[in-house]
Amino acid sequence: MDKFVIEGGVPLHGTISTNGSKNSALPALAAALLTDEEVVLERIPRVRDIRTMERLLVDIGSEIVVDEGDSERVVLNTKTIVSPEAPYELVKTMRASSLVLGPLVARAGRARVSLPGGCAIGARPINFHLAGLEHLGARIAQEHGYIEAVAPDGLKGAHVVFDRITVTGTEDILMAAVLADGESVLENAAREPEVVDLAHLLRKMGARIEGEGTSVIRVQGVAKLHGATHEIIADRIEAGTFVIAAAITGGDVCVTRCVPEHLGALTAKLAEAGVTVTQVDDTTLRVERRNGTLLPVDMTTEEYPGFATDLQAQYMALMTQANGISIITETIFENRFMHAQELMRMGANIRVDGRQAIVAGPSRLTGAGVIASDLRASASLVLAALVAKGETVIDRVYHIDRGYEKIEAKLSAAGAKIRRVE
Ligand code: EPZ
């Protein structure tokens, strides 16, 4: 199992470029199941979760050609659905596998998808996906740990109100609704940029969608979708992680190929904390914190356009260096503070009380052996290690490989002393 060895104390300088979004690429890949024509996706990050999704699609019946060069292009062709199934072996390693549910029922009239089971950051059930499909006329049964969804006569357009905002739930039902007969209205839909990106791809494939990016999405079902070419948006969570890396090390970094607008909640907090963030052009943010004191700023995670839960752990690492007490409230997942314990092993002063973490800074962090528990928790440990005195060894970095492509190379190029060891 790989580890990262990080020697802290170097302010980052230079340019770090952003990859395509993992959480946009995953539904885009699943959307290719909706047509028997060729779908070409560009800027697909070469991270582990994407490989898992590609493996799943090949088992289902897709032919996939991957170009790992600069375009990071993936060409998908699904002439026939051979096996409309997502097995436990894959779903247990990646919950986003449930994104094939909607497309499979819509295209093949049938899907068999393993229930995901427990997760490091919370219960994360898929009941809203299932309720949405039922509204669209699918019959759902559960047996042997699997969900069986069938709609032999096709799906029917319907009014679906999500009990709670769900990102992949909105994406799953949107992908089902585009091939349903008649109009569907999705209310309390997620407004995340990844949902908008999916709607753009589906529209290129011939879908009739309005209202993406708002909480009400209207879909006029069509009989058939066709092939399309689409470039995935920038990964706002990866970009946000680099923005925080610059801030925590007291560096001066340009984060390029990102969408500054998607990072509004983060950059607003950083400005309050005393970090200078400037938009250089449409796709570049410059982050500077040279010798400046960092101020403590409370933060509550929310659905987009609020502060992303996927940046909460990284923000907590930053607040360990702020001059005073900050309160971080997690509202999306019930168990997403696993990183706090590891940060404390490095010398942070954090008290977790239910859904709140009270961080008292500034702490002098020191290098230690720590264990990554999930993707974003791992990122926060990397950030803490970049300012810790001495050497930090982060175990189980396969978690970080799920969502960050070559993070050690990107950070090294900006001066960080980080290396991967087997
Ligand atoms: C997406 O997960 C992201 N994953 C997550 O990114 C992200 O943390 C999350 O949205 C929140 O922004 C992908 O896009 C692939 P939700 P998702 O459904 O869709 C509850 C990362 O680090 N809920 O919006 O699974 C759920 O338990 C990851 O890249 C139900 O109760 O999240 C949670 O409390 C991890 N029933 C809340 O809703 C359901 O049927 C929001 O979850 C669905 C969700």
Side-chain angles (χ1 to χ4, degrees):
M1 239 182 269
D2 289 2
K3 296 180 181 171
F4 279 157
V5 179
I6 300 172
E7 182 76 37
V10 186
L12 300 190
H13 282 97
T15 298
I16 308 183
S17 134
T18 314
N19 274 93
S21 159
K22 165 185 80 89
N23 287 348
S24 209
L26 288 168
L29 289 163
L33 292 173
L34 289 164
T35 174
D36 58 6
E37 295 183 17
E38 185 172 279
V39 174
V40 181
L41 299 173
E42 286 164 353
R43 215 176 168 194
I44 298 285
R46 300 317 302 161
V47 296
R48 206 158 58 95
D49 275 8
I50 296 296
R51 293 199 170 88
T52 306
M53 180 60 93
E54 287 167 355
R55 217 178 110 200
L56 172 59
L57 296 183
V58 167
D59 287 352
I60 289 172
S62 308
E63 277 175 28
I64 300 186
V65 179
V66 177
D67 170 5
E68 301 214 359
D70 284 349
S71 68
E72 301 198 307
R73 179 194 300 253
V74 176
V75 181
L76 300 107
N77 238 306
T78 315
K79 292 263 175 275
T80 45
I81 303 285
V82 178
S83 160
E85 179 163 324
Y88 181 56
E89 291 65 45
L90 289 183
V91 179
K92 75 178 181 204
T93 64
M94 190 184 67
R95 310 173 66 80
S97 310
S98 56
L99 279 167
V100 299
L101 189 57
L104 284 176
V105 182
R107 164 109 184 258
R110 199 169 91 77
R112 187 166 181 269
V113 173
S114 168
L115 277 168
C119 173
I121 62 175
R124 307 186 72 188
I126 56 164
N127 52 320
F128 303 148
H129 304 226
L130 303 180
L133 279 178
E134 270 182 331
H135 274 100
L136 294 173
R139 282 202 316 274
I140 311 273
Q142 184 189 328
E143 223 173 33
H144 309 300
Y146 278 76
I147 294 295
E148 294 251 8
V150 291
D153 303 324
L155 295 169
K156 306 263 178 301
H159 196 154
V160 176
V161 183
F162 293 101
D163 283 354
R164 173 177 180 170
I165 296 174
T166 159
V167 179
T168 51
T170 302
E171 293 163 349
D172 216 358
I173 300 310
L174 178 61
M175 289 189 279
V178 291
L179 284 182
D181 183 22
E183 183 182 69
S184 295
V185 180
L186 277 48
E187 259 191 71
N188 201 23
R191 295 181 287 161
E192 267 64 6
E194 295 76 20
V195 175
V196 175
D197 199 30
L198 173 65
H200 289 171
L201 165 64
L202 292 170
R203 205 178 282 131
K204 287 180 190 169
M205 294 169 70
R208 292 176 60 202
I209 301 169
E210 275 172 26
E212 72 276 10
T214 76
S215 55
V216 182
I217 303 178
R218 282 177 194 279
V219 182
Q220 306 293 335
V222 295
K224 208 170 166 352
L225 293 181
H226 51 73
T229 297
H230 182 70
E231 184 181 301
I232 298 296
I233 55 167
D235 194 315
R236 63 194 167 103
I237 307 301
E238 190 202 24
T241 303
F242 297 141
V243 166
I244 298 176
I248 200 170
T249 60
D252 181 352
V253 172
C254 281
V255 179
T256 60
R257 296 195 76 198
C258 67
V259 183
E261 188 193 322
H262 293 168
L263 290 157
L266 171 66
T267 53
K269 287 287 166 196
L270 293 189
E272 266 187 76
V275 179
T276 310
V277 185
T278 327
Q279 184 170 335
V280 176
D281 58 37
D282 285 356
T283 57
T284 307
L285 281 176
R286 180 174 178 186
V287 188
E288 295 167 271
R289 188 189 135 232
R290 278 177 288 194
N291 311 317
T293 307
L294 202 59
L295 302 172
V297 181
D298 295 350
M299 183 277 281
T300 300
T301 61
E302 280 165 20
E303 291 89 0
Y304 189 83
F307 195 104
T309 173
D310 290 346
L311 284 170
Q312 177 259 106
Q314 300 89 315
Y315 186 79
M316 188 183 294
L318 179 68
M319 283 298 111
T320 68
Q321 301 307 297
N323 209 344
I325 292 177
S326 53
I327 299 176
I328 296 176
T329 308
E330 172 59 56
T331 68
I332 308 293
F333 292 111
E334 64 272 24
N335 187 27
R336 210 176 194 181
F337 283 143
M338 305 271 272
H339 43 282
Q341 296 299 328
E342 299 302 299
L343 291 172
M344 279 150 77
R345 297 199 59 253
M346 298 176 72
N349 183 349
I350 304 169
R351 188 165 60 82
V352 173
D353 183 7
R355 291 201 169 205
Q356 290 197 318
I358 297 108
V359 186
S363 296
R364 186 174 158 274
L365 301 182
T366 54
V370 287
I371 294 185
S373 56
D374 74 74
L375 171 56
R376 309 303 172 186
S378 330
S380 88
L381 297 178
V382 169
L383 296 177
L386 292 177
V387 280
K389 189 172 162 46
E391 187 176 275
T392 299
V393 179
I394 304 180
D395 205 348
R396 299 197 194 157
V397 299
Y398 59 83
H399 284 296
I400 212 162
D401 293 333
R402 292 185 59 175
Y404 292 87
E405 185 179 336
K406 298 190 188 119
I407 190 170
E408 70 276 27
K410 290 189 179 194
L411 292 172
S412 299
K417 291 189 180 156
I418 171 170
R419 63 195 161 87
R420 182 186 287 261
V421 294
E422 282 185 16

